[in-house]
């Protein structure tokens, strides 16, 4: 018999024999392979089979390999502000092209739907209301970010930038709807879109209360509204408008798309999201128009106040001019002027100045200048 074959058959038994001699279990004799750990950017990773989450939180490479071997399954990987090394590794694992990886590293994208080979990229803007006690000329009212959804045959990757729009509630909610989640990665895209639109409506509700307070301060009797505060709120509404309005075209494209889009079972859900988005767009458009009206009203008030101030200044200047005229004439000290030698000339001049001032004051008060 070949000695090498004998060594080959006996080789695997030697570690087990040494383990028994040392008092250790047979499995402990061999050194276990080191387990891969999730990078810091990974918020959550799970495999879903028939709409139900598999137990555990595997590494995304193992989860993707498992989903490719299992029917009616996919992996959902959630990332938050990943670095270049993490995103490059994710791109190699899921077969993303360089453009997709580069897009995922940057923020501030405009809402859109793009097709990169077999992968669909859906970009949405996130929005969150920043609580504040009072509105100032530097108050941050709305915090925006973005979320990118990469959709493949057996995977969905969500990459979020910014503090607003956390997707943990989305995952918890969709996991309770196994029937919808069983439709695959597009079910996650629907859930993310629905969550973003829900946030838009929630933020618009807070904005409405801010607008009411600004409107009350503008039309109050004291007119204490600062125009800088209105400009600041206007800027925040414009930022919110830029985040919401561009999403209309991508959502309409998804609803009308026949190939490479959501499955027929999810079409009506996307239609519902589009309808709610239209409601949010109408609200924001109304807020923008209302802010323009408030701003114009405040500018008109400032113009009226300035005009009133100018009239008051002109009225007091006219009153002072009469005193200056009398004092100037009798201060010229000519040798031959009437009443210079009059005993009551000084008292008469003061009386004339007082009568002129009182008469002009009453006339200006009656005309509304004072």
């Amino acid at each position: 018999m070949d000695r090498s074959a004998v060594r080959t058959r006996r080789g695997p038994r030697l570690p087990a024999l040494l383990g028994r001699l040392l008092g250790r279990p047979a499995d402990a004799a061999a050194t276990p392979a080191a387990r891969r750990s999730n990078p810091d950017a990974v918020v959550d990773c799970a495999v879903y089979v028939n709409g139900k989450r598999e137990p555990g939180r595997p590494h995304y490479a193992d989860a993707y390999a498992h989903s490719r071997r299992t029917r009616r399954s996919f992996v959902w990987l959630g990332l938050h502000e990943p670095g270049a090394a993490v995103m490059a590794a994710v791109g190699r694992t899921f077969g993303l092209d360089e453009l997709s990886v580069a897009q995922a590293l940057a923020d501030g994208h405009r809402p859109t739907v793009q097709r990169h080979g077999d992968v669909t990229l859906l970009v949405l803007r996130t929005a969150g209301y920043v609580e504040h006690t009072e509105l100032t000329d530097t108050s941050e009212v709305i915090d925006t970010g973005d979320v990118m959804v990469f959709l493949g045959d057996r995977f969905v990757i969500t990459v979020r930038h910014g503090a607003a729009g956390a997707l943990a509630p989305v995952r918890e909610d969709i996991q309770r709807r196994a029937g919808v989640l069983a439709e695959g990665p597009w079910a996650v895209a629907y859930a993310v879109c629905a969550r973003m639109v829900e946030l838009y409506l929630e933020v618009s509700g807070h904005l409405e209360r801010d607008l009411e307070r600004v409107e009350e301060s503008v039309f109050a009797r004291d007119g204490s509204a600062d125009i800088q505060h209105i400009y600041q709120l206007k800027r925040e509404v414009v930022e919110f408008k830029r985040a919401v309005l561009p999403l209309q075209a991508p959502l309409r494209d998804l609803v009308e798309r026949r190939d490479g889009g959501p499955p027929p079972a999810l079409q009506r859900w996307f239609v519902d999201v589009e309808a709610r988005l239209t409601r949010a767009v109408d609200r924001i458009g109304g807020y923008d128009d209302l802010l323009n009206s408030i701003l114009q009203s405040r500018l008109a008030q400032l113009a009226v106040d300035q005009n009133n101030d100018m009239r008051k200044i002109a009225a007091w200047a006219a009153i002072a001019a009469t005193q200056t005229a009398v004092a100037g004439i009798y201060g010229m000290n000519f040798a031959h002027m009437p009443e210079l030698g009059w005993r009551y000339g000084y008292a008469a001049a003061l009386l004339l100045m007082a009568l002129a001032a009182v008469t002009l004051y009453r006339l200006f008060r009656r005309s509304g200048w004072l």
Side-chain angles (χ1 to χ4, degrees):
M1 182 181 294
D2 189 4
R3 293 182 179 180
S4 61
V6 173
R7 286 195 298 270
T8 302
R9 290 195 301 267
R10 291 180 179 178
R13 297 180 181 178
L14 184 58
L17 179 61
L18 291 175
R20 286 194 297 270
L21 291 175
L22 296 175
R24 294 180 298 174
D27 294 340
T31 303
R35 297 183 61 185
R36 287 177 289 188
S37 60
N38 287 320
D40 295 338
V42 176
V43 179
D44 199 356
C45 180
V47 178
Y48 297 88
V49 180
N50 290 323
K52 295 183 179 180
R53 176 171 180 159
E54 294 284 284
R57 181 181 168 182
H59 188 273
Y60 57 83
D62 300 330
Y64 185 46
H66 175 64
S67 68
R68 296 179 68 179
R69 295 191 303 265
T70 308
R71 296 184 58 214
R72 295 181 59 81
S73 67
F74 69 94
V75 57
W76 180 1
L77 172 63
L79 303 174
H80 181 231
E81 297 181 352
V86 173
M87 200 62 217
V90 171
R92 288 191 300 268
T93 301
F94 293 92
L96 303 180
D97 58 15
E98 294 183 1
L99 178 60
S100 299
V101 173
Q103 287 178 317
L105 293 175
D107 58 354
H109 295 286
R110 182 182 177 88
T112 184
V113 174
Q114 300 176 6
R115 186 78 176 177
H116 301 286
D118 297 332
V119 178
T120 300
L121 170 61
L122 174 62
V123 180
L124 304 97
R125 298 286 294 172
T126 62
Y129 182 77
V130 180
E131 295 290 345
H132 51 275
T133 56
E134 62 179 3
L135 186 66
T136 66
D137 53 358
T138 58
S139 295
E140 185 179 6
V141 180
I142 300 173
D143 183 22
T144 59
D146 60 53
V147 58
M148 309 177 71
V149 184
F150 295 91
L151 298 155
D153 182 35
R154 293 297 183 94
F155 68 87
V156 55
I157 304 172
T158 54
V159 182
R160 185 170 60 90
H161 294 275
L167 299 179
V170 178
R171 191 183 289 264
E172 294 175 1
D173 179 67
I174 197 66
Q175 285 178 168
R176 292 193 291 266
R177 306 168 64 184
V180 177
L181 196 56
E183 296 296 331
W186 278 101
V188 176
Y190 151 72
V192 173
C193 291
R195 174 60 177 170
M196 294 304 107
V197 174
E198 180 183 347
L199 288 177
Y200 298 158
L201 293 172
E202 180 180 333
V203 171
S204 65
H206 291 292
L207 268 179
E208 185 175 3
R209 288 191 287 272
D210 284 338
L211 284 170
E212 290 175 353
R213 287 194 290 266
V214 170
E215 188 177 16
E216 290 174 358
S217 63
V218 166
F219 295 103
R221 287 185 175 274
D222 55 357
S224 59
D226 191 344
I227 196 169
Q228 296 298 330
H229 300 172
I230 304 175
Y231 272 121
Q232 176 63 19
L233 188 57
K234 173 72 173 176
R235 284 194 293 265
E236 295 294 314
V237 170
V238 169
E239 181 183 358
F240 188 35
K241 188 176 181 179
R242 289 174 180 171
V244 177
L245 266 65
L247 184 58
Q248 285 184 299
L251 266 184
R252 188 176 303 111
D253 181 41
L254 290 179
V255 171
E256 297 175 354
R257 182 177 295 185
R258 294 294 176 263
D259 298 327
L266 292 177
Q267 286 287 341
R268 63 189 183 93
W269 296 104
F270 277 95
V271 170
D272 177 69
V273 174
E274 184 187 16
R276 285 188 289 162
L277 177 63
T278 302
R279 191 189 319 156
V281 169
D282 292 341
R283 286 187 182 181
I284 298 170
Y287 297 159
D288 194 24
D289 294 339
L290 179 59
L291 261 177
N292 289 333
S293 300
I294 293 175
L295 187 59
Q296 293 299 323
S297 299
R298 185 54 183 159
L299 290 174
Q301 287 180 347
L302 291 177
V304 171
D305 292 341
Q306 290 176 354
N307 186 39
N308 291 334
D309 293 339
M310 291 301 298
R311 291 196 299 181
K312 290 179 181 179
I313 294 172
W316 285 112
I319 294 174
T322 59
Q323 320 303 310
T324 305
V326 175
I329 292 173
Y330 281 92
M332 289 187 289
N333 296 322
F334 289 112
H336 301 286
M337 288 186 67
E339 291 86 26
L340 282 180
W342 187 28
R343 180 177 181 180
Y344 302 104
Y346 176 70
L350 292 180
L351 181 60
L352 176 63
M353 294 167 66
L355 286 174
V358 171
T359 302
L360 288 175
Y361 178 80
R362 296 191 64 179
L363 289 174
F364 285 132
R365 286 283 294 182
R366 186 179 300 174
S367 63
W369 282 47
L370 289 175

